[in-house]
């Protein structure tokens, strides 16, 4: 029912602080032969990427911990179900022994063509359509707060020197935010056969503008996914993880199916 392409790379960093959860599989490697592909012939699908933060190996541990908790969760297919699962993971993190750390999370929970999109932090979900690439998640970051206040435009935020400041996520460093009532961003959506979700950490979205991502993927994101990977390889600095999800009965097939 679902087709997936994905890739992760350590970039120019010493540690891989990204972690990916793809339908029960947890991935956290320095690099992989990309793109990898997967097909899921089930009614439900859960995919997420996490970008850890913290000194030494704490960011690496934080992102993996959240992915491991996702694997253990039984999540009802509803916005409230997703929120409660993330809240429980936050509480588990606070007693995990991982300190002074946290992680972003961005993901899609699907049931057929219905989707629940969620994120905390600045990892992102985009929706590819034939006309454009739509940023459908919502960053919890300093520059996003400037956009929300009308002080800068979305386009200007890409070049802002403080775009790396993350203001929310999962982890003990965000405990006060959760206790004060701050919540992950959660959106219900529908995915059409000619559309796709692109989920990524900021190692991609901070280096390639949205309009460039769209043109690299156009007119078929599954056929042209390699174009996006080749582009980020030229500019990579940070760890990056990226996942492309579509319905498996789309008209075209990606090269890995041929």
């Amino acid at each position: 029912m679902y087709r997936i392409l994905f890739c992760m790379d350590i970039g120019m960093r010493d540690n891989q602080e990204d972690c990916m959860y793809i339908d029960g599989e947890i991935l956290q490697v320095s690099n992989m032969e990309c793109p990898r592909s997967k097909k899921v012939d089930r009614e439900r699908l859960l995919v997420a990427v996490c970008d850890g933060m913290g000194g030494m190996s704490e960011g690496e541990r934080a992102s993996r911990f959240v992915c491991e908790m996702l694997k253990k969760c039984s999540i009802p297919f509803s916005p409230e179900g997703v929120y409660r699962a993330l809240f429980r993971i936050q509480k588990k993190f606070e007693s995990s022994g991982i300190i002074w750390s946290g992680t972003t999370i961005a993901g899609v929970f699907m049931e057929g063509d219905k989707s629940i999109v969620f994120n905390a932090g600045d990892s992102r979900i985009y929706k590819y359509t034939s006309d454009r690439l739509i940023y459908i998640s919502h960053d919890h970051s300093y520059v996003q707060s400037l956009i929300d206040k009308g002080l800068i435009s979305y386009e200007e935020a890409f070049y802002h020197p403080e775009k790396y400041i993350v203001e929310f996520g999962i982890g003990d460093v965000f405990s006060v935010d959760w206790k004060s009532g701050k919540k992950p961003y959660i959106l219900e959506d529908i995915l059409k056969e000619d559309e796709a979700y692109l989920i990524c950490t900021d190692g991609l979205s901070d280096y390639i503008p949205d309009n460039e991502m769209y043109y690299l993927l156009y007119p078929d994101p599954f056929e042209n996914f390699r174009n996006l990977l080749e582009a980020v390889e030229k500019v990579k600095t940070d760890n990056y993880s990226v996942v492309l999800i579509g319905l498996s009965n789309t008209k075209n097939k990606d090269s890995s199916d041929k």
Side-chain angles (χ1 to χ4, degrees), residues 47 84 95 101 218 235:
V47 174
R84 289 185 177 277
S95 60
S101 187
Y218 181 83
V235 296

Side-chain angles (χ1 to χ4, degrees), residues 85-102:
L86 295 176
F87 182 82
R88 287 195 300 270
I89 292 172
Q90 169 64 24
K91 300 308 289 183
K92 289 283 187 181
F93 195 112
E94 291 173 7
S95 60
S96 69
I98 306 173
I99 59 172
W100 294 108
S101 187

Side-chain angles (χ1 to χ4, degrees), residues 67 106 108 112 119 133 141-142 153 205 225 246:
C67 288
V108 176
N119 82 282
L133 191 69
S141 65
Y142 173 67
S153 69
S205 57
F225 189 64

Side-chain angles (χ1 to χ4, degrees), residues 50-64:
C50 297
D51 181 1
M53 59 198 77
M56 303 299 287
S57 63
E58 294 303 289
E60 182 178 339
R61 292 179 63 202
S63 60
R64 188 171 187 89

Side-chain angles (χ1 to χ4, degrees), residues 2-6 22 36-38 40 45 47 243-244:
Y2 306 102
R3 58 197 303 219
I4 305 167
L5 292 179
F6 57 95
I22 301 178
R36 281 187 55 184
S37 65
K38 187 169 186 172
V40 177
L45 173 71
V47 174
V243 187
L244 186 70

